[in-house]
Amino acid sequence: MRFTLLTGAVLLVSAQANAAIEQQLTQCAGITDKLERLVCYDNLAASIQVTTVTNNTTAPIAVAPVVTPAAAPAVVASAAPVAAAAAATNVEDNFGMEVKRVQENTTDKIYLDVESIAEDAYGALKITFTNGQVWKQTENRKFNLKVGEKVFIEKAALGSFLMGTESRNAKVRVKRLK
């Protein structure tokens, strides 16, 4: 019973908060000047973000009053410093390039010599290479490998790795243990 009452109260409060936001949105939409309307929307969004970050419970969301057109020039006059503007343009210039820069500095395929091979109870191979790395087979398929053979390990989809040899077309999925 208490849970039902609590749920009902939360729904009532959230409906009232949504109604207040909708009312302020319609007030902003009624402003004819483009810049003043944008400032109104920005202030509304900022007030909603501040209240949702500070409220960790399901308390009612208090929305700040809408800035009137007379107060809009004061908001525009207090522009961000030049350093913030320069940082914003730098962020815009680098947007979407993070992945490309990371890919430029990575290796997609390495070649290793097999030092020893062990097989676990399930038939999966545990391969130790001459450089000290230890990799384990994660698929159930049979993969024939000999000590001293040169293999490659390449990146595959979703952060996985494939091991294979140049002499045949078969590859097996592996993960690094050491």
Side-chain angles (χ1 to χ4, degrees):
M1 181 67 179
R2 284 186 226 164
F3 180 71
T4 307
L5 290 175
L6 182 64
T7 304
V10 167
L11 289 175
L12 181 64
V13 168
S14 66
Q16 289 174 349
N18 285 338
I21 293 170
E22 289 176 8
Q23 181 183 11
Q24 289 180 349
L25 282 172
T26 56
Q27 288 176 353
C28 289
I31 299 173
T32 56
D33 185 32
K34 292 180 182 179
L35 183 59
E36 291 174 1
R37 184 172 51 242
L38 179 62
V39 169
C40 180
Y41 284 134
D42 287 345
N43 290 334
L44 179 61
S47 67
I48 291 172
Q49 289 175 351
V50 169
T51 56
T52 56
V53 169
T54 58
N55 292 339
N56 291 334
T57 62
T58 57
I61 298 174
V63 179
V66 175
V67 175
T68 60
V75 174
V76 175
S78 63
V82 176
T89 57
N90 189 22
V91 169
E92 289 174 358
D93 291 341
N94 292 330
F95 183 76
M97 295 300 292
E98 299 89 3
V99 174
K100 290 193 181 268
R101 288 196 181 105
V102 169
Q103 288 177 351
E104 290 173 358
N105 299 330
T106 60
T107 305
D108 292 333
K109 191 176 197 180
I110 59 172
Y111 289 87
L112 303 166
D113 293 319
V114 177
E115 183 177 297
S116 66
I117 302 170
E119 193 171 312
D120 68 1
Y122 300 106
L125 299 177
K126 184 177 176 183
I127 305 115
T128 304
F129 295 102
T130 55
N131 65 354
Q133 292 183 5
V134 179
W135 292 74
K136 182 178 180 178
Q137 177 182 356
T138 59
E139 294 179 327
N140 295 352
R141 303 180 336 176
K142 180 74 175 163
F143 190 77
N144 293 326
L145 199 59
K146 297 176 186 169
V147 174
E149 192 170 5
K150 188 173 196 84
V151 298
F152 64 84
I153 298 178
E154 63 184 1
K155 289 184 180 179
L158 303 173
S160 63
F161 297 92
L162 293 173
M163 180 179 65
T165 61
E166 295 291 338
S167 61
R168 60 178 180 229
N169 198 17
K171 297 178 188 173
V172 66
R173 198 164 304 276
V174 293
K175 71 175 182 178
R176 186 169 177 181
L177 300 178
K178 179 178 164 188

